[in-house]
Amino acid sequence: MASIEEGNSKSITNPALDPDLDNPDHPSLEFAQFAAGCFWGVELAFQRVEGVVKTEVGYSQGNVHNPNYKLICSGTTEHAEVIRIQFDPNVCPYSNLLSLFWSRHDPTTLNRQGNDVGKQYRSGIYYYNDAQAQLARESLEAKQKEFTNKKIVTEILPAKRFYRAEEYHQQYLEKGGGRGAAQSAAKGCNDPIRCYG
């Protein structure tokens, strides 16, 4: 468990700072984790990708153990809204996931996406191994060339402990969201994604 030194005498362990040590459901699968604003629309986009086997939305990169949505929204936890993906790299290379990540949000806006403002809406790529880290950095460098007057603010960090969000957030748009019609999560679907709460 990660430790935080407090004063000179005692150490406190904080599981929120630990790496994500969960394992995918099958040994042939890998995890990927991204933050790109509100997780509902991001999740639906990744659900539609061939080779993505499972998606979960949740919280990571913060300093509070077992956070909940209300606490995240208070802005005191440092957590980001993230999507954790299980994917088959033989069907969907990690680079394909990175391409979709960059296309789903504006990586030049700090702590906001559209009308969603707060540190929980930041842009981040959270890697599980050295190969993912390298591909993430290379993709950021390539993407930066598209922005001549703006700097990309996406953070690239090791994946920390993943806290699964409340059940009502899971596959939110596929289930119809708060007041809308259910949206297709079918593989290959390219219907526009409508985000509503």
Side-chain angles (χ1 to χ4, degrees):
M1 235 184 262
S3 295
I4 301 171
E5 292 299 322
E6 198 175 85
N8 289 333
S9 59
K10 59 181 179 175
S11 178
I12 300 172
T13 56
N14 184 349
L17 303 176
D18 288 346
D20 187 356
L21 298 177
D22 291 346
N23 292 310
D25 294 344
H26 191 274
S28 65
L29 302 177
E30 291 184 23
F31 277 136
Q33 194 181 115
F34 301 103
C38 175
F39 46 33
W40 296 336
V42 179
E43 181 181 36
L44 185 59
F46 281 103
Q47 284 178 278
R48 295 173 170 182
V49 174
E50 193 69 43
V52 169
V53 176
K54 182 178 181 180
T55 61
E56 298 175 282
V57 296
Y59 318 113
S60 190
Q61 301 299 316
N63 55 29
V64 173
H65 182 53
N66 285 329
N68 59 45
Y69 187 66
K70 184 176 181 181
L71 193 57
I72 297 298
C73 291
S74 74
T76 61
T77 71
E78 300 295 313
H79 285 281
E81 288 192 14
V82 299
I83 175 169
R84 186 170 71 173
I85 299 159
Q86 291 188 44
F87 69 103
D88 182 342
N90 295 313
V91 177
C92 178
Y94 186 68
S95 57
N96 290 9
L97 300 177
L98 289 167
S99 294
L100 180 57
F101 164 79
W102 293 116
S103 75
R104 285 295 310 158
H105 74 301
D106 180 351
T108 68
T109 56
L110 185 63
N111 299 332
R112 82 174 295 149
Q113 289 300 312
N115 293 328
D116 294 327
V117 180
K119 195 158 186 182
Q120 73 266 28
Y121 300 118
R122 66 188 180 267
S123 175
I125 302 170
Y126 308 116
Y127 58 84
Y128 285 84
N129 56 50
D130 292 340
Q132 286 186 0
Q134 180 177 342
L135 288 168
R137 290 185 189 103
E138 289 170 359
S139 72
L140 186 147
E141 290 171 14
K143 190 69 176 175
Q144 183 61 65
K145 292 176 182 173
E146 297 176 23
F147 293 98
T148 55
N149 297 324
K150 295 180 181 179
K151 180 166 175 36
I152 290 178
V153 295
T154 302
E155 60 187 14
I156 299 175
L157 299 168
K160 287 186 183 175
R161 182 173 286 207
F162 174 82
Y163 294 98
R164 184 178 161 89
E166 296 81 353
E167 191 56 38
Y168 71 89
H169 288 297
Q170 306 300 325
Q171 294 80 48
Y172 184 80
L173 296 178
E174 180 187 10
K175 295 185 284 192
R179 59 180 184 247
Q183 297 179 56
S184 175
K187 300 299 183 194
C189 178
N190 60 7
D191 292 348
I193 294 175
R194 299 169 314 282
C195 203
Y196 38 74

